[in-house]
Amino acid sequence: MRQIAFHETIRIRPLTRPTYLSTRSPSKIRIPIQARHNSSTSNSSLSQYDDNNPNQRYWWSACAPSLTSLLRHSQSYTPSQQSLHLSWFRNNVIPNLGPRPSSSYRLRSPLNYEGSPYRPTWNFCSAPAGSPSSSSVVGTLRFSFDPIPATGTSEEDPTNQEEYKRLFPLLARECHGKGETRADLTWYDEVKEHMYLTPSEQVILQSKFVPKGSQLPPEHAAIAIGCVGEKRVLKPYFFAGPKSMVTGLSPHQVLFSALRGIRTKAEELKPALDLVEQYVSSRASVMMPNCIGIDAVSPNQGARVKLYTLVPSNAFAVMRDAMTLGGRLTSPETLRGVEILRSIYHLLRGDRSPINDATEEVSKPCRYESMENSYWKGFTSYEMRPGREEPEVKVYVPLIQLFETEEAVIEGLEEVWRGFGWGELGKGGYGEAIGEAL
């Protein structure tokens, strides 16, 4: 059964200020973690956490509070599973976050507005019937990171491409597919041919777009991990920017070329992909394709591929248009999703009054307004699976653009949770989790 993205499933990035400014010590973590994660990877290139390394100690101190809190408050993980995920993160992610910020090293990852290379997200779903959880809602921890060399981003590899190429296969051995299978890189291998830069393109990027001594954001890709029970699901992401800059192709051309380059199950993906490209092409003046995300799962076992687009407006009418592909999607489920979004949209934007016919075209001013970050007003994703003729659409509201404080975010979201009947989150549980995460 498909989930409605604005009722049964909610994805929230819970923080509005930089995660890397935390000064908490990992000694305050309440969940015991293994002293050393027993990696199934024989290749020593996946280094282990080193407590004597000041950069790694810094990142563990910065990241541990949010991971610990979200795991504990999710109602989805046993204590041993929480311990396992914390241990795995410390040993496989922390060593790949690069130097700590300093006066001589500025964080500039595009993963977050403030430049942090680590981002936690929290996925909420109504607890299924018969669930062992006593809660009406269960959460799933997901996190993304940009792998950065220990010495920082170099002029020779300004997008950290070599780190992604090195880590994806190693992490795949540590992650899972459907059932008891391991992660599958079939689609990743087919897409990467179109997204990684050739040696000659690397030279063009260095000479044309990277001033001497600068640190270009590593926006070439991102590594995402979803924690499901005791398992980890790998999700590679590719951004259009670097390839577009060196080839002169538009982001639309870069990303749809990569999507059309998927060979396995291509015919089964084609109907939904055609529909998405028709819509995005028709909105070229107000919508820019930004990146694609891939499930590292066998295409024969329900793998998904997603296209993400940026929109320079947070008006409800823009989001409604995206959810229906400009009227192309008209199923009862789609229309119900639109109505649910309409009923809560003012809470997601921090508005006092619900959306009405007079205000649905209004885009709310954002905290950060410039040509460079106007896309942060909103973005959308189009999820495609083999054998499904229509995509599943999700819209995203960047809370950092609309709220001044965590307290204001919590107040608005807890009202949403109460409306959904998610009492545990709506009556202080969400605020408690975020308070611990910060």
Side-chain angles (χ1 to χ4, degrees), residues 108-137:
R108 295 189 61 196
S109 168
L111 198 60
N112 295 289
Y113 185 86
E114 74 285 344
S116 171
Y118 153 75
R119 179 174 67 187
T121 61
W122 212 1
N123 179 57
F124 299 116
C125 295
S126 297
S131 170
S133 173
S134 60
S135 174
S136 61
V137 57

PDB file of all heavy atoms in Angstrom, residues 108-137:
ATOM      1  N   ARG A 108      31.903  24.179   3.684  1.00  0.00           N
ATOM      2  CA  ARG A 108      31.095  24.707   2.592  1.00  0.00           C
ATOM      3  C   ARG A 108      30.374  23.584   1.860  1.00  0.00           C
ATOM      4  O   ARG A 108      30.210  23.616   0.647  1.00  0.00           O
ATOM      5  CB  ARG A 108      31.964  25.510   1.626  1.00  0.00           C
ATOM      6  CG  ARG A 108      32.560  26.769   2.229  1.00  0.00           C
ATOM      7  CD  ARG A 108      33.218  27.609   1.154  1.00  0.00           C
ATOM      8  NE  ARG A 108      32.260  28.025   0.145  1.00  0.00           N
ATOM      9  CZ  ARG A 108      32.614  28.504  -1.053  1.00  0.00           C
ATOM     10  NH1 ARG A 108      33.885  28.609  -1.361  1.00  0.00           N
ATOM     11  NH2 ARG A 108      31.690  28.864  -1.915  1.00  0.00           N
ATOM     12  N   SER A 109      29.926  22.591   2.577  1.00  0.00           N
ATOM     13  CA  SER A 109      29.156  21.529   1.949  1.00  0.00           C
ATOM     14  C   SER A 109      27.768  22.046   1.575  1.00  0.00           C
ATOM     15  O   SER A 109      27.112  22.708   2.385  1.00  0.00           O
ATOM     16  CB  SER A 109      29.003  20.345   2.906  1.00  0.00           C
ATOM     17  OG  SER A 109      28.026  19.447   2.412  1.00  0.00           O
ATOM     18  N   PRO A 110      27.297  21.752   0.375  1.00  0.00           N
ATOM     19  CA  PRO A 110      25.949  22.178  -0.004  1.00  0.00           C
ATOM     20  C   PRO A 110      24.863  21.310   0.615  1.00  0.00           C
ATOM     21  O   PRO A 110      23.681  21.545   0.422  1.00  0.00           O
ATOM     22  CB  PRO A 110      25.955  22.025  -1.533  1.00  0.00           C
ATOM     23  CG  PRO A 110      26.896  20.896  -1.770  1.00  0.00           C
ATOM     24  CD  PRO A 110      27.973  21.051  -0.726  1.00  0.00           C
ATOM     25  N   LEU A 111      25.256  20.318   1.388  1.00  0.00           N
ATOM     26  CA  LEU A 111      24.280  19.452   2.030  1.00  0.00           C
ATOM     27  C   LEU A 111      23.412  20.228   3.013  1.00  0.00           C
ATOM     28  O   LEU A 111      22.251  19.900   3.241  1.00  0.00           O
ATOM     29  CB  LEU A 111      25.011  18.314   2.748  1.00  0.00           C
ATOM     30  CG  LEU A 111      24.211  17.069   3.120  1.00  0.00           C
ATOM     31  CD1 LEU A 111      23.627  16.413   1.880  1.00  0.00           C
ATOM     32  CD2 LEU A 111      25.103  16.084   3.864  1.00  0.00           C
ATOM     33  N   ASN A 112      23.981  21.266   3.612  1.00  0.00           N
ATOM     34  CA  ASN A 112      23.260  22.132   4.540  1.00  0.00           C
ATOM     35  C   ASN A 112      23.561  23.581   4.196  1.00  0.00           C
ATOM     36  O   ASN A 112      24.641  23.898   3.696  1.00  0.00           O
ATOM     37  CB  ASN A 112      23.708  21.881   5.985  1.00  0.00           C
ATOM     38  CG  ASN A 112      23.353  20.495   6.462  1.00  0.00           C
ATOM     39  OD1 ASN A 112      22.187  20.185   6.688  1.00  0.00           O
ATOM     40  ND2 ASN A 112      24.350  19.634   6.610  1.00  0.00           N
ATOM     41  N   TYR A 113      22.620  24.449   4.520  1.00  0.00           N
ATOM     42  CA  TYR A 113      22.824  25.854   4.202  1.00  0.00           C
ATOM     43  C   TYR A 113      24.064  26.406   4.882  1.00  0.00           C
ATOM     44  O   TYR A 113      24.784  27.236   4.331  1.00  0.00           O
ATOM     45  CB  TYR A 113      21.587  26.670   4.610  1.00  0.00           C
ATOM     46  CG  TYR A 113      21.682  28.110   4.193  1.00  0.00           C
ATOM     47  CD1 TYR A 113      21.286  28.495   2.911  1.00  0.00           C
ATOM     48  CD2 TYR A 113      22.198  29.081   5.042  1.00  0.00           C
ATOM     49  CE1 TYR A 113      21.388  29.817   2.512  1.00  0.00           C
ATOM     50  CE2 TYR A 113      22.305  30.397   4.650  1.00  0.00           C
ATOM     51  CZ  TYR A 113      21.901  30.758   3.377  1.00  0.00           C
ATOM     52  OH  TYR A 113      22.018  32.063   2.976  1.00  0.00           O
ATOM     53  N   GLU A 114      24.333  25.942   6.125  1.00  0.00           N
ATOM     54  CA  GLU A 114      25.454  26.493   6.880  1.00  0.00           C
ATOM     55  C   GLU A 114      26.765  25.795   6.588  1.00  0.00           C
ATOM     56  O   GLU A 114      27.788  26.147   7.149  1.00  0.00           O
ATOM     57  CB  GLU A 114      25.162  26.442   8.388  1.00  0.00           C
ATOM     58  CG  GLU A 114      25.253  25.049   9.012  1.00  0.00           C
ATOM     59  CD  GLU A 114      24.077  24.154   8.696  1.00  0.00           C
ATOM     60  OE1 GLU A 114      23.042  24.670   8.249  1.00  0.00           O
ATOM     61  OE2 GLU A 114      24.205  22.929   8.883  1.00  0.00           O
ATOM     62  N   GLY A 115      26.752  24.760   5.715  1.00  0.00           N
ATOM     63  CA  GLY A 115      27.998  24.160   5.271  1.00  0.00           C
ATOM     64  C   GLY A 115      28.408  22.864   5.933  1.00  0.00           C
ATOM     65  O   GLY A 115      29.450  22.306   5.589  1.00  0.00           O
ATOM     66  N   SER A 116      27.629  22.370   6.881  1.00  0.00           N
ATOM     67  CA  SER A 116      27.997  21.122   7.552  1.00  0.00           C
ATOM     68  C   SER A 116      27.900  19.941   6.584  1.00  0.00           C
ATOM     69  O   SER A 116      26.949  19.840   5.806  1.00  0.00           O
ATOM     70  CB  SER A 116      27.067  20.870   8.742  1.00  0.00           C
ATOM     71  OG  SER A 116      27.274  19.568   9.268  1.00  0.00           O
ATOM     72  N   PRO A 117      28.862  18.992   6.629  1.00  0.00           N
ATOM     73  CA  PRO A 117      28.828  17.833   5.732  1.00  0.00           C
ATOM     74  C   PRO A 117      27.968  16.682   6.263  1.00  0.00           C
ATOM     75  O   PRO A 117      27.957  15.606   5.682  1.00  0.00           O
ATOM     76  CB  PRO A 117      30.302  17.409   5.661  1.00  0.00           C
ATOM     77  CG  PRO A 117      30.833  17.761   7.008  1.00  0.00           C
ATOM     78  CD  PRO A 117      30.127  19.041   7.395  1.00  0.00           C
ATOM     79  N   TYR A 118      27.253  16.904   7.359  1.00  0.00           N
ATOM     80  CA  TYR A 118      26.418  15.859   7.965  1.00  0.00           C
ATOM     81  C   TYR A 118      25.005  16.392   8.159  1.00  0.00           C
ATOM     82  O   TYR A 118      24.813  17.528   8.605  1.00  0.00           O
ATOM     83  CB  TYR A 118      27.019  15.447   9.306  1.00  0.00           C
ATOM     84  CG  TYR A 118      26.028  14.911  10.322  1.00  0.00           C
ATOM     85  CD1 TYR A 118      25.502  13.622  10.198  1.00  0.00           C
ATOM     86  CD2 TYR A 118      25.627  15.681  11.417  1.00  0.00           C
ATOM     87  CE1 TYR A 118      24.596  13.132  11.136  1.00  0.00           C
ATOM     88  CE2 TYR A 118      24.737  15.192  12.356  1.00  0.00           C
ATOM     89  CZ  TYR A 118      24.220  13.926  12.215  1.00  0.00           C
ATOM     90  OH  TYR A 118      23.330  13.430  13.145  1.00  0.00           O
ATOM     91  N   ARG A 119      24.002  15.579   7.807  1.00  0.00           N
ATOM     92  CA  ARG A 119      22.617  16.002   7.972  1.00  0.00           C
ATOM     93  C   ARG A 119      21.762  14.826   8.437  1.00  0.00           C
ATOM     94  O   ARG A 119      21.608  13.837   7.714  1.00  0.00           O
ATOM     95  CB  ARG A 119      22.042  16.550   6.671  1.00  0.00           C
ATOM     96  CG  ARG A 119      20.573  16.974   6.794  1.00  0.00           C
ATOM     97  CD  ARG A 119      20.058  17.641   5.536  1.00  0.00           C
ATOM     98  NE  ARG A 119      19.982  16.731   4.414  1.00  0.00           N
ATOM     99  CZ  ARG A 119      19.694  17.109   3.174  1.00  0.00           C
ATOM    100  NH1 ARG A 119      19.521  18.379   2.905  1.00  0.00           N
ATOM    101  NH2 ARG A 119      19.620  16.225   2.214  1.00  0.00           N
ATOM    102  N   PRO A 120      21.163  14.915   9.621  1.00  0.00           N
ATOM    103  CA  PRO A 120      20.219  13.880  10.039  1.00  0.00           C
ATOM    104  C   PRO A 120      18.807  14.234   9.585  1.00  0.00           C
ATOM    105  O   PRO A 120      18.452  15.417   9.511  1.00  0.00           O
ATOM    106  CB  PRO A 120      20.322  13.939  11.563  1.00  0.00           C
ATOM    107  CG  PRO A 120      20.595  15.390  11.847  1.00  0.00           C
ATOM    108  CD  PRO A 120      21.425  15.896  10.675  1.00  0.00           C
ATOM    109  N   THR A 121      18.013  13.254   9.255  1.00  0.00           N
ATOM    110  CA  THR A 121      16.598  13.473   8.972  1.00  0.00           C
ATOM    111  C   THR A 121      15.792  12.420   9.700  1.00  0.00           C
ATOM    112  O   THR A 121      16.298  11.355  10.059  1.00  0.00           O
ATOM    113  CB  THR A 121      16.284  13.419   7.453  1.00  0.00           C
ATOM    114  OG1 THR A 121      16.635  12.120   6.952  1.00  0.00           O
ATOM    115  CG2 THR A 121      17.046  14.477   6.689  1.00  0.00           C
ATOM    116  N   TRP A 122      14.517  12.736   9.895  1.00  0.00           N
ATOM    117  CA  TRP A 122      13.633  11.868  10.662  1.00  0.00           C
ATOM    118  C   TRP A 122      12.390  11.605   9.833  1.00  0.00           C
ATOM    119  O   TRP A 122      11.698  12.542   9.444  1.00  0.00           O
ATOM    120  CB  TRP A 122      13.272  12.562  11.958  1.00  0.00           C
ATOM    121  CG  TRP A 122      13.050  11.657  13.129  1.00  0.00           C
ATOM    122  CD1 TRP A 122      13.141  10.309  13.181  1.00  0.00           C
ATOM    123  CD2 TRP A 122      12.702  12.098  14.447  1.00  0.00           C
ATOM    124  NE1 TRP A 122      12.871   9.857  14.442  1.00  0.00           N
ATOM    125  CE2 TRP A 122      12.604  10.936  15.243  1.00  0.00           C
ATOM    126  CE3 TRP A 122      12.459  13.338  15.024  1.00  0.00           C
ATOM    127  CZ2 TRP A 122      12.266  10.993  16.599  1.00  0.00           C
ATOM    128  CZ3 TRP A 122      12.132  13.393  16.366  1.00  0.00           C
ATOM    129  CH2 TRP A 122      12.044  12.231  17.147  1.00  0.00           C
ATOM    130  N   ASN A 123      12.109  10.364   9.571  1.00  0.00           N
ATOM    131  CA  ASN A 123      10.954   9.973   8.767  1.00  0.00           C
ATOM    132  C   ASN A 123       9.878   9.403   9.688  1.00  0.00           C
ATOM    133  O   ASN A 123      10.133   8.455  10.441  1.00  0.00           O
ATOM    134  CB  ASN A 123      11.386   8.906   7.751  1.00  0.00           C
ATOM    135  CG  ASN A 123      10.231   8.436   6.894  1.00  0.00           C
ATOM    136  OD1 ASN A 123       9.593   9.231   6.237  1.00  0.00           O
ATOM    137  ND2 ASN A 123       9.961   7.146   6.923  1.00  0.00           N
ATOM    138  N   PHE A 124       8.668   9.984   9.660  1.00  0.00           N
ATOM    139  CA  PHE A 124       7.586   9.527  10.523  1.00  0.00           C
ATOM    140  C   PHE A 124       6.512   8.803   9.729  1.00  0.00           C
ATOM    141  O   PHE A 124       6.113   9.252   8.652  1.00  0.00           O
ATOM    142  CB  PHE A 124       6.928  10.713  11.236  1.00  0.00           C
ATOM    143  CG  PHE A 124       7.851  11.480  12.131  1.00  0.00           C
ATOM    144  CD1 PHE A 124       8.150  12.798  11.868  1.00  0.00           C
ATOM    145  CD2 PHE A 124       8.428  10.880  13.233  1.00  0.00           C
ATOM    146  CE1 PHE A 124       8.993  13.519  12.683  1.00  0.00           C
ATOM    147  CE2 PHE A 124       9.267  11.591  14.063  1.00  0.00           C
ATOM    148  CZ  PHE A 124       9.558  12.911  13.793  1.00  0.00           C
ATOM    149  N   CYS A 125       6.007   7.719  10.283  1.00  0.00           N
ATOM    150  CA  CYS A 125       4.891   6.984   9.687  1.00  0.00           C
ATOM    151  C   CYS A 125       3.925   6.572  10.786  1.00  0.00           C
ATOM    152  O   CYS A 125       4.337   6.298  11.925  1.00  0.00           O
ATOM    153  CB  CYS A 125       5.369   5.712   8.970  1.00  0.00           C
ATOM    154  SG  CYS A 125       6.417   5.986   7.542  1.00  0.00           S
ATOM    155  N   SER A 126       2.642   6.515  10.446  1.00  0.00           N
ATOM    156  CA  SER A 126       1.683   5.942  11.379  1.00  0.00           C
ATOM    157  C   SER A 126       2.073   4.504  11.659  1.00  0.00           C
ATOM    158  O   SER A 126       2.453   3.764  10.745  1.00  0.00           O
ATOM    159  CB  SER A 126       0.274   5.988  10.782  1.00  0.00           C
ATOM    160  OG  SER A 126      -0.145   7.322  10.575  1.00  0.00           O
ATOM    161  N   ALA A 127       2.011   4.099  12.916  1.00  0.00           N
ATOM    162  CA  ALA A 127       2.348   2.725  13.276  1.00  0.00           C
ATOM    163  C   ALA A 127       1.373   1.773  12.582  1.00  0.00           C
ATOM    164  O   ALA A 127       0.156   1.974  12.649  1.00  0.00           O
ATOM    165  CB  ALA A 127       2.279   2.541  14.783  1.00  0.00           C
ATOM    166  N   PRO A 128       1.863   0.767  11.864  1.00  0.00           N
ATOM    167  CA  PRO A 128       0.968  -0.158  11.169  1.00  0.00           C
ATOM    168  C   PRO A 128       0.146  -0.984  12.140  1.00  0.00           C
ATOM    169  O   PRO A 128       0.525  -1.181  13.299  1.00  0.00           O
ATOM    170  CB  PRO A 128       1.940  -1.046  10.367  1.00  0.00           C
ATOM    171  CG  PRO A 128       3.230  -0.966  11.115  1.00  0.00           C
ATOM    172  CD  PRO A 128       3.283   0.412  11.697  1.00  0.00           C
ATOM    173  N   ALA A 129      -1.001  -1.452  11.665  1.00  0.00           N
ATOM    174  CA  ALA A 129      -1.866  -2.297  12.488  1.00  0.00           C
ATOM    175  C   ALA A 129      -1.089  -3.525  12.947  1.00  0.00           C
ATOM    176  O   ALA A 129      -0.367  -4.145  12.167  1.00  0.00           O
ATOM    177  CB  ALA A 129      -3.103  -2.710  11.702  1.00  0.00           C
ATOM    178  N   GLY A 130      -1.234  -3.859  14.212  1.00  0.00           N
ATOM    179  CA  GLY A 130      -0.518  -5.023  14.730  1.00  0.00           C
ATOM    180  C   GLY A 130       0.913  -4.751  15.085  1.00  0.00           C
ATOM    181  O   GLY A 130       1.664  -5.670  15.430  1.00  0.00           O
ATOM    182  N   SER A 131       1.337  -3.483  15.018  1.00  0.00           N
ATOM    183  CA  SER A 131       2.718  -3.139  15.331  1.00  0.00           C
ATOM    184  C   SER A 131       3.012  -3.403  16.803  1.00  0.00           C
ATOM    185  O   SER A 131       2.173  -3.127  17.670  1.00  0.00           O
ATOM    186  CB  SER A 131       2.982  -1.662  15.017  1.00  0.00           C
ATOM    187  OG  SER A 131       4.226  -1.250  15.514  1.00  0.00           O
ATOM    188  N   PRO A 132       4.200  -3.937  17.126  1.00  0.00           N
ATOM    189  CA  PRO A 132       4.545  -4.162  18.530  1.00  0.00           C
ATOM    190  C   PRO A 132       4.751  -2.873  19.304  1.00  0.00           C
ATOM    191  O   PRO A 132       4.750  -2.872  20.526  1.00  0.00           O
ATOM    192  CB  PRO A 132       5.842  -4.972  18.435  1.00  0.00           C
ATOM    193  CG  PRO A 132       6.422  -4.613  17.107  1.00  0.00           C
ATOM    194  CD  PRO A 132       5.240  -4.412  16.213  1.00  0.00           C
ATOM    195  N   SER A 133       4.923  -1.750  18.577  1.00  0.00           N
ATOM    196  CA  SER A 133       5.116  -0.474  19.249  1.00  0.00           C
ATOM    197  C   SER A 133       3.821  -0.011  19.898  1.00  0.00           C
ATOM    198  O   SER A 133       2.742  -0.148  19.321  1.00  0.00           O
ATOM    199  CB  SER A 133       5.607   0.590  18.251  1.00  0.00           C
ATOM    200  OG  SER A 133       5.636   1.870  18.854  1.00  0.00           O
ATOM    201  N   SER A 134       3.914   0.543  21.095  1.00  0.00           N
ATOM    202  CA  SER A 134       2.738   1.081  21.781  1.00  0.00           C
ATOM    203  C   SER A 134       2.412   2.484  21.300  1.00  0.00           C
ATOM    204  O   SER A 134       1.395   3.058  21.681  1.00  0.00           O
ATOM    205  CB  SER A 134       2.995   1.105  23.298  1.00  0.00           C
ATOM    206  OG  SER A 134       4.117   1.930  23.604  1.00  0.00           O
ATOM    207  N   SER A 135       3.256   3.043  20.451  1.00  0.00           N
ATOM    208  CA  SER A 135       3.073   4.402  19.952  1.00  0.00           C
ATOM    209  C   SER A 135       2.185   4.401  18.713  1.00  0.00           C
ATOM    210  O   SER A 135       2.123   3.433  17.962  1.00  0.00           O
ATOM    211  CB  SER A 135       4.435   5.020  19.613  1.00  0.00           C
ATOM    212  OG  SER A 135       4.278   6.278  19.004  1.00  0.00           O
ATOM    213  N   SER A 136       1.492   5.533  18.485  1.00  0.00           N
ATOM    214  CA  SER A 136       0.681   5.681  17.277  1.00  0.00           C
ATOM    215  C   SER A 136       1.521   6.068  16.078  1.00  0.00           C
ATOM    216  O   SER A 136       1.036   6.085  14.950  1.00  0.00           O
ATOM    217  CB  SER A 136      -0.394   6.750  17.503  1.00  0.00           C
ATOM    218  OG  SER A 136       0.208   8.011  17.791  1.00  0.00           O
ATOM    219  N   VAL A 137       2.778   6.387  16.299  1.00  0.00           N
ATOM    220  CA  VAL A 137       3.675   6.804  15.229  1.00  0.00           C
ATOM    221  C   VAL A 137       5.054   6.225  15.480  1.00  0.00           C
ATOM    222  O   VAL A 137       5.477   6.092  16.626  1.00  0.00           O
ATOM    223  CB  VAL A 137       3.741   8.350  15.141  1.00  0.00           C
ATOM    224  CG1 VAL A 137       4.181   8.942  16.457  1.00  0.00           C
ATOM    225  CG2 VAL A 137       4.667   8.806  14.027  1.00  0.00           C
TER     226      VAL A 137
END
